[in-house]
Amino acid sequence: MNMPIDAAAHTVSEPLLGDDGPVSPWWVRTLVIVMVGGFALLVMITTLAYRHAPPIPGKVVDAQGTTLFTGADVSDGQAVMLRYGLMDNGSIWGHGAYLGPDYSALALHMIGVDVSEALALQRFGKPADQLDAGSRAALQAETAVILKTNRYDAGTDTLQLTAAEADAYRKQIPHWADYFKLSTGNGGLKPNLITDPTEIRQFSAFVTWAAWASVANRPGKNFSYTNNFPYDPSVGNVPTGGAVLWSALSLVILLAGIATVLLIFGRFENLGWISHGHHVHPQVLPGAASPGQRALVKFYVVVAALFLMQTLVGGAIAHSRAEPGDFYGFPLDNIFPSNLLRTWHLQTAILWIATAYVAAALFLGRTLRRDEPRSFAMWVHLLFGAFAVVIVGSLLGEWAGISQLLGDWWYWLGNQGWEYLELGRLWQVLLVIGLFAWFAMLWTLVRPRVVTAQARPLAVMFLIAALAVPVFYVPALFIGSHDNFTVVDTWRFWIIHLWLEGFFELFATTVVALTFYQLGLARRNTALRVIYLDAILYFLGGLVGTGHHWYFSGQTHINMALAGLFSVLEVVPLTLLTLDAWAFVRTTRGECDECGKAINIPHKWTFYFLMAVGFWNFVGAGVFGFLINLPIVSYYETGTILTPNHGHAALMGVFGMLAIALMVFVLRQTIDDKRWPAVEKYIKVAFFGTNGGLVLMLLLSLFPGGVWQMWDVIENGYWHARAPAFTGGTVAKTLEWMRMPGDMVFILFGSVPLFIAAVKGWLLMRADGGNALDSAK
């Protein structure tokens, strides 16, 4: 037996904007062509990653043939890095955190210095710093030749090091033992984090292998497995010709792409978010939500709580950069070390944004049908419980895992350790199951036969986009703690880029288009065209463009060429956001196109946050993303503060602002006009607080800090700009302290009032009970 329809759901399910005919089939055909071609190239690149990944030798020996370490030591050393959460402290080949050094770059430079010193004593009988300029130049050239000579024998699976290289490896072990002792010198790790001699030796073997792969030439090539990354002229690592060539050619592709799309917009006047030439009046009635929709409001209390937690730990992480080992006189690192805080910072960001989307999808899906399934509210409660278990369990597991409280269960119940995929494998599996259960609920709500014929095409696209979310998270299960780092990084960015910036982007576009359709602002075909056009443009550059993360992580120049040319196209759809900017402004002002009169738009703050999405999409993903995506720029920039500068502006500015917009939409729909002002005042503060705080964060700290650090890379080498001596220098610390005003505004006037709004909205909804529904019947 089905429940009776509520007034809001009934109103929006009718074809209020006219019965649009079918859209051209070439939209779907073009999208299919783009997807098939893009995935074909992406699968090829992924296959080549397995084939051309830097080899892990079965054993590494010195000049006399004595074994220094084995391939098992390298793999176990990688597991040590993951077990202790070190990818949220430093990085390998630029991938990881920025609190500590790039382990591979620092190890490579130290090995280069030690080899150079050994050669100086052997050739000249005195230290290198006592030689004249000509002798030092000759010494540097000989050091580069030694390190770039690849002595790996695939037949015997053995890598032989010279005597100087072997001695340099042995010096790595005491260096890393010292590194883990004091919080002040490692970016705020727990004091004496790793003391076991075996684990220290294994970690040293891993970073030495990573350093070797980054300098030794590929067989038959004059550049290393990582395309000569990191930049360090002292060991012969300089940009490859391909990095320059493909960067130049990609600019041609960018200009051609922008010109083509602008031509299309000029030719077809019916493209864009807002439908013109009809009465613009909201068609969903605030305060008339169904029981199942009201049950979804508690999701947003969790969303707001996770958002608040993310901002608080983010502020603490910034302090660890500015003053590691000391939180205003309190030894915070003993309890909550910086690598744990960064793990939580990333995971809470993913969790609160994903939770907001999940709840909004169910809320909007409910509006597409006339009746509500009898058990819908019960399934909402069950899904909430499942999400709560995964969220709380994974966050506590990460703390227990990094604190070494789980023993051999660290990988399953604690932290896997891979950046952005830190949650334990058990929680990851449960998350996948939960997402498929969520899709099953959506299917029950909006399967084609239960929605009106007018809305059916939108419902189909909505379901396809929703199904892609759990399906394309599955590759997260393909990686393990002992897999080759290159292979892992390939699948890792199938999640970080392809899942988050690709299919989540498609799902977000579909949700926004559906929202506009239900609010009466877009005709059905207008909404469909927007979905198709955005999908075509995003995936045209975004599928193969995933490879811009793999320029220097063990992939070949084939990936650099393809990713360099395609990734610039990711900017094209972002530039088009400016074409609809004024339409958004007019919509928020509530001016009807046909009658020209001001009308009341009850979702004003939803549109404000959607305008923020457009702004930050252009600035964060477009401007700052394009800045670091060119191969030649990425060569010097990867792993500097310009990366989180782009990350904060894009992840928070785009996905975060959209999540908040959806949260505001749901709150407004479940609270009547009389009670809404009590919540709206906090929403208003949160809008200016989040956007203003983010602007201050970027302009005062992240952007200038990133430019300063990249300049140091160019001047002194990548290892230097990532070393604690530089990041703890006066200028770097000053720029880090300059982040405090933005952080304070963002927290006090952004996340705090948003949390209050969510709690207050939930309480008002509960107090109101079924009155709103009864009055709407």
Side-chain angles (χ1 to χ4, degrees), residues 292-571:
Q293 288 175 315
R294 292 200 303 274
L296 288 164
V297 175
K298 59 178 171 289
F299 277 82
Y300 289 98
V301 176
V302 174
V303 166
L306 289 172
F307 180 41
L308 178 59
M309 178 180 175
Q310 186 210 357
T311 60
L312 291 174
V313 297
I317 294 168
H319 189 89
S320 290
R321 284 184 58 86
E323 197 175 11
D326 180 31
F327 189 78
Y328 302 106
F330 180 75
L332 182 67
D333 301 324
N334 290 342
I335 306 172
F336 299 114
S338 61
N339 57 334
L340 172 63
L341 293 178
R342 189 175 187 272
T343 295
W344 279 348
H345 186 60
L346 295 179
Q347 288 303 301
T348 50
I350 295 171
L351 290 170
W352 77 262
I353 291 173
T355 303
Y357 287 10
V358 162
L362 292 172
F363 194 98
L364 284 167
R366 169 63 187 88
T367 67
L368 284 173
R369 59 181 294 158
R370 293 179 175 276
D371 56 355
E372 180 169 292
R374 189 174 187 180
S375 59
F376 179 57
M378 179 194 72
W379 280 105
V380 168
H381 296 318
L382 290 175
L383 185 68
F384 178 81
F387 266 65
V389 169
V390 171
I391 290 169
V392 175
S394 64
L395 293 176
L396 290 178
E398 286 152 5
W399 168 76
I402 289 178
S403 300
Q404 306 306 304
L405 299 177
L406 297 176
D408 293 337
W409 288 93
W410 64 273
Y411 189 79
W412 278 91
L413 300 179
N415 60 303
Q416 292 185 63
W418 298 110
E419 185 192 29
Y420 287 100
L421 300 174
E422 290 93 345
L423 73 168
R425 177 56 57 88
L426 174 64
W427 311 114
Q428 200 172 57
V429 171
L430 292 177
L431 179 60
V432 171
I433 294 173
L435 288 174
F436 275 109
W438 161 73
F439 174 75
M441 293 176 63
L442 275 181
W443 173 261
T444 301
L445 276 177
V446 297
R447 61 189 185 275
R449 70 181 182 85
V450 301
V451 300
T452 62
Q454 173 71 8
R456 198 165 294 155
L458 271 177
V460 170
M461 285 302 300
F462 182 52
L463 287 171
I464 292 173
L467 179 60
V469 172
V471 167
F472 284 93
Y473 188 79
V474 170
L477 306 177
F478 294 175
I479 58 178
S481 60
H482 288 74
D483 293 335
N484 188 295
F485 191 91
T486 295
V487 172
V488 169
D489 232 37
T490 300
W491 289 116
R492 201 166 64 89
F493 281 104
W494 271 67
I495 306 302
I496 300 172
H497 183 96
L498 187 60
W499 182 67
L500 182 61
E501 298 181 47
F503 288 98
F504 237 112
E505 185 87 43
L506 171 63
F507 177 68
T509 301
T510 307
V511 168
V512 173
L514 181 59
T515 303
F516 275 42
Y517 173 73
Q518 296 295 69
L519 289 175
L521 295 168
R523 297 182 185 274
R524 184 203 65 188
N525 282 2
T526 299
L528 282 173
R529 290 190 194 100
V530 167
I531 294 171
Y532 289 137
L533 180 61
D534 276 13
I536 290 168
L537 293 178
Y538 277 119
F539 288 123
L540 182 64
L543 286 174
V544 183
T546 304
H548 73 251
H549 297 283
W550 303 326
Y551 290 150
F552 313 113
S553 60
Q555 299 261 16
T556 65
H557 264 186
I558 295 175
N559 169 71
M560 182 180 289
L562 291 172
L565 294 177
F566 277 89
S567 65
V568 292
L569 294 176
E570 296 179 75
V571 181

Side-chain angles (χ1 to χ4, degrees), residues 593-640:
D593 284 330
E594 186 171 311
C595 61
K597 297 180 181 179
I599 56 175
N600 177 40
I601 299 290
H603 291 283
K604 177 179 71 173
W605 292 106
T606 297
F607 286 109
Y608 278 5
F609 277 105
L610 287 177
M611 282 196 298
V613 171
F615 172 80
W616 288 114
N617 223 332
F618 178 73
V619 174
V623 176
F624 291 150
F626 174 73
L627 172 65
I628 66 176
N629 272 7
L630 294 180
I632 190 60
V633 177
S634 184
Y635 179 76
Y636 295 104
E637 179 281 329
T638 297
T640 68

Side-chain angles (χ1 to χ4, degrees), residues 186-198:
N186 57 30
L189 292 174
K190 186 177 181 179
N192 297 310
L193 179 64
I194 307 178
T195 57
D196 185 288
T198 300

Side-chain angles (χ1 to χ4, degrees), residues 224 231 282 569:
S224 73
Y231 175 60
L569 294 176

Side-chain angles (χ1 to χ4, degrees), residues 115 119 123 141-151 162 164-165:
V115 170
L119 289 175
R123 300 281 191 274
E142 186 174 359
T143 299
V145 169
I146 290 174
L147 293 179
K148 285 204 158 289
T149 300
N150 192 338
R151 299 179 181 83
T162 64
E165 289 175 304

